[in-house]
Amino acid sequence: MKKTNISLLSIFLILVLVLVACKKSIYDKKLQCNSTISFSNQILPLVENNCTVCHSAGEAGYTLTNHSNISANAEDMLSSMKGIMQLMPQDGALPDSLIQQFECWIKQGKPNN
Ligand code: HEC
């Protein structure tokens, strides 16, 4: 009886470990960010061209119009650009190069530059 309990516990622990290992990270560990991303020249235009049309006044819980609200929501934004949360823009993912710019900007500390 005791042995069965221990086996069940081990199976449960292994399952938990597998689940934790499989949980998709929003970050790409291999991504190289060689150049400094500019908020005003790259990130703001990216968001204004692709997101602000629907997210300008709290639609779906997100206002994405300036450095302060974009940096506060950046992780959710990246997650939706990658389709880990609901895919955004809804009609098709952005080009990888733009998603990578956004990710690099986060990794560089979300500067207001
Ligand atoms: C055509 C309008 C539209 C565009 C463009 C758009 N969104 Fe959305 N977004 C929505 C709507 C509507 C929802 C709520 C969807 C729902 O709950 O079914 C939403 C939800 C979200 C969510 C929450 C997703 C979730 O799973 O809870 C995030 C984050 C988000 N948008 C970020 C973005 C970003 C970043 C962009 C630009 C790359 C963007 N959106 C572009 C309309 C849009």
Side-chain angles (χ1 to χ4, degrees), residues 46-47 49-55 59-62 64 73 75-81 84-91 94 102:
L46 182 167
V47 177
N49 292 335
N50 298 290
C51 318
T52 310
V53 61
C54 299
H55 294 285
E59 291 89 346
Y62 295 88
L64 307 173
N73 292 300
E75 289 77 12
D76 280 1
M77 293 173 72
L78 180 64
S79 179
S80 69
M81 288 177 196
I84 298 169
M85 288 171 79
Q86 195 178 320
L87 181 68
M88 293 286 144
Q90 291 161 315
D91 58 357
L94 296 174
F102 196 80

Side-chain angles (χ1 to χ4, degrees), residues 1-105:
M1 187 63 193
K2 217 175 173 192
K3 258 190 187 158
T4 321
N5 280 343
I6 291 172
S7 316
L8 282 176
L9 188 66
S10 326
I11 291 170
F12 176 75
L13 283 176
I14 289 167
L15 274 178
V16 169
L17 283 176
V18 168
L19 280 176
V20 169
C22 291
K23 193 172 179 293
K24 231 174 157 185
S25 163
I26 65 165
Y27 299 110
D28 176 358
K29 288 201 184 100
K30 291 188 206 107
L31 179 63
Q32 301 283 326
C33 301
N34 296 321
S35 55
T36 302
I37 307 297
S38 158
F39 178 76
S40 50
N41 294 330
Q42 293 164 281
I43 299 303
L44 189 58
L46 182 167
V47 177
E48 282 178 345
N49 292 335
N50 298 290
C51 318
T52 310
V53 61
C54 299
H55 294 285
S56 61
E59 291 89 346
Y62 295 88
T63 302
L64 307 173
T65 53
N66 59 36
H67 179 266
S68 137
N69 53 37
I70 291 170
S71 55
N73 292 300
E75 289 77 12
D76 280 1
M77 293 173 72
L78 180 64
S79 179
S80 69
M81 288 177 196
K82 293 188 176 189
I84 298 169
M85 288 171 79
Q86 195 178 320
L87 181 68
M88 293 286 144
Q90 291 161 315
D91 58 357
L94 296 174
D96 283 350
S97 59
L98 289 185
I99 300 176
Q100 286 166 359
Q101 265 181 22
F102 196 80
E103 180 164 346
C104 282
W105 175 71

